[in-house]
Amino acid sequence: MLGCLRTMELSDQMFYSLFLFIWLLYLWEEYLAYKQRCMYRAAHDVPEELQAVLPRETYIKASVYQLEHARLESLHALFTQLESTAILLLGGIPYLWDFSGRLLSSFEYGPEYEISQSAIFLLLASLYSWLVGLPWSVYLTFVVEERHGFNKQVLVTIYADYIAPLFDNFKPLPEGPLREAIESLAKRLSFPLTKIYVVDGSRRSAHSNAYFYGFYKNKRIVLFDTLLQQEGDTEKGCTQDEILAVLCHELGHWNYQHTLKHIVFSQMNLFFCFLLFQTLMGWPELFSAFGFHSEYPVLIGMLLTFQFALAPYNTMVGFAAVAISRRFERQADQFARGMGHGKHLLAALLRLNATNLGFPEADPLYSIWHHTHPTLLERIRALGGKKDN
């Protein structure tokens, strides 16, 4: 009896400690988000470093766009926090597990079919998550993005966003000066380029981007069609020199093996998480804390471990990952500058920032916690401090 009481006390302590941490983390992130929203609202004058190249109209438009995004994200975060709180306090997880078991038993399958019950649990949980998240996704796409000229979908194709690569149309970059310049850049860096594609991302969004992918000596470069200037329209898209500067930045990531380092970091983290999972699966107190007193399903153990028990650890790892990513971005910028593309990278960053309605600065605390890339203002200061080679 005494041992049972101690187990209950320990499980209660574990539950309320994790519950408190989740709420403290939410309040901290909401405080940071509030500071950032204040910066958007106070955006009236373009920073001195950008006054010669960034029109005030674009600066104000970007602040309005980002503020609208931030307000929606704040509402969504509050809704998600209250939803999670209700699920935890009302025992939503054990209820859904029991319901999955009852559903399974209606087909004359008993509790020994844990894998089948886990599959039903996952299906129902995923369906619930999708239904709850759908209104937010629809509002973001068809109200916020539409209002600012980025959305180019119709409702029936919204599913394509989740499996976009299956719907994008990749075409080889036509022969010409741009292709020759990219191939020359790749050859100069000994980058094993095999193909260059243009993807019609403009069907779904007006945002611009470029990236590379592929293994070993089979690399491909992909340019969004929104990145390219169309004939007779120099307002949108980047010039050839600016595109080369953007690609040089991306190739800087390849040169420093940033992708490989990210993979090693994530795999080490995953290994450590599963090591902790193996340990925590042997703790009945963890299951008891969340309403599982007599059964210890593996799937539930994974859910409780990765989503709740490891929440403090995941927060620290997430912060470290953001810091590492920011360092990698700075290195890639300096690589492009060292290759003689600093001036054109600056121009490309300004152009893409205006095209994507990015805001050039951020609250320092918010940026350190959230931004995987330095702000535009930070990148300009870093790139503008030295002359190109």
Side-chain angles (χ1 to χ4, degrees), residues 140-380:
L140 174 64
T141 302
F142 296 101
V143 178
V144 178
E145 294 289 289
E146 181 73 28
R147 182 179 295 144
H148 294 276
F150 288 121
N151 175 47
K152 295 190 176 181
Q153 302 186 75
V154 295
L155 185 58
V156 80
T157 64
I158 192 169
Y159 179 65
D161 260 357
Y162 298 97
I163 49 175
L166 299 179
F167 287 81
D168 285 336
N169 185 17
F170 291 81
K171 295 181 179 179
L173 179 68
E175 297 289 342
L178 178 58
R179 185 181 183 90
E180 293 173 2
I182 293 175
E183 290 173 342
S184 175
L185 176 63
K187 185 176 181 181
R188 179 183 173 191
L189 296 173
S190 300
F191 179 73
L193 178 63
T194 56
K195 295 181 181 179
I196 308 173
Y197 290 116
V198 176
V199 61
D200 57 345
S202 59
R203 290 190 306 157
R204 293 178 289 106
S205 172
H207 293 291
S208 300
N209 203 358
Y211 61 93
F212 72 88
Y213 69 98
F215 294 101
Y216 193 49
K217 294 187 179 297
N218 188 27
K219 307 290 188 184
R220 291 97 184 270
I221 286 177
V222 178
L223 306 174
F224 276 46
D225 57 353
T226 49
L227 190 66
L228 308 180
Q229 286 188 345
Q230 304 300 318
E231 188 174 352
D233 185 3
T234 59
E235 294 297 320
K236 298 179 180 179
C238 294
T239 66
Q240 177 174 306
D241 287 333
E242 291 167 357
I243 292 173
L244 289 177
V246 171
L247 289 178
C248 203
H249 168 92
E250 296 301 327
L251 294 178
H253 288 305
W254 167 79
N255 180 74
Y256 290 118
Q257 297 185 318
H258 289 161
T259 302
L260 178 61
K261 291 174 183 176
H262 272 304
I263 291 174
V264 171
F265 178 83
S266 63
Q267 291 304 308
M268 289 176 61
N269 175 54
L270 191 61
F271 173 79
F272 185 65
C273 286
F274 274 107
L275 196 64
L276 291 175
F277 164 67
Q278 182 184 18
T279 302
L280 293 173
M281 271 298 292
W283 284 15
E285 295 86 357
L286 176 63
F287 288 87
S288 297
F290 291 88
F292 292 86
H293 303 290
S294 60
E295 53 182 339
Y296 312 110
V298 174
L299 177 66
I300 298 300
M302 292 183 67
L303 174 65
L304 299 182
T305 298
F306 290 107
Q307 186 167 346
F308 299 107
L310 293 184
Y313 168 78
N314 289 333
T315 300
M316 292 187 296
V317 170
F319 178 73
V322 168
I324 291 171
S325 178
R326 287 166 66 88
R327 175 177 173 80
F328 287 174
E329 292 301 324
R330 292 191 185 97
Q331 288 180 339
D333 279 352
Q334 291 305 315
F335 178 83
R337 186 200 64 79
M339 292 292 295
H341 291 277
K343 180 178 68 174
H344 296 299
L345 181 59
L346 279 174
L349 289 173
L350 288 166
R351 191 185 294 269
L352 293 176
N353 183 79
T355 300
N356 297 331
L357 285 186
F359 197 67
E361 52 187 334
D363 176 80
L365 272 179
Y366 180 90
S367 184
I368 289 172
W369 190 259
H370 285 290
H371 288 167
T372 57
H373 289 57
T375 65
L376 175 64
L377 203 54
E378 289 173 329
R379 297 175 79 175
I380 286 176

Side-chain angles (χ1 to χ4, degrees), residues 18-71:
L18 291 172
F19 186 80
L20 178 63
F21 176 81
I22 291 170
W23 265 98
L24 288 175
L25 180 61
Y26 164 75
L27 293 174
W28 165 249
E29 293 191 341
E30 184 52 35
Y31 166 70
L32 297 180
Y34 168 76
K35 286 170 65 67
Q36 185 63 15
R37 292 196 301 273
C38 288
M39 176 165 278
Y40 293 143
R41 283 192 289 266
H44 301 298
D45 298 318
V46 181
E48 185 178 350
E49 295 93 331
L50 298 173
Q51 288 179 358
V53 290
L54 181 63
R56 185 174 183 275
E57 181 183 355
T58 302
Y59 179 74
I60 298 299
K61 188 177 180 182
S63 69
V64 172
Y65 172 68
Q66 296 295 342
L67 179 59
E68 193 165 355
H69 256 273
R71 284 171 173 166

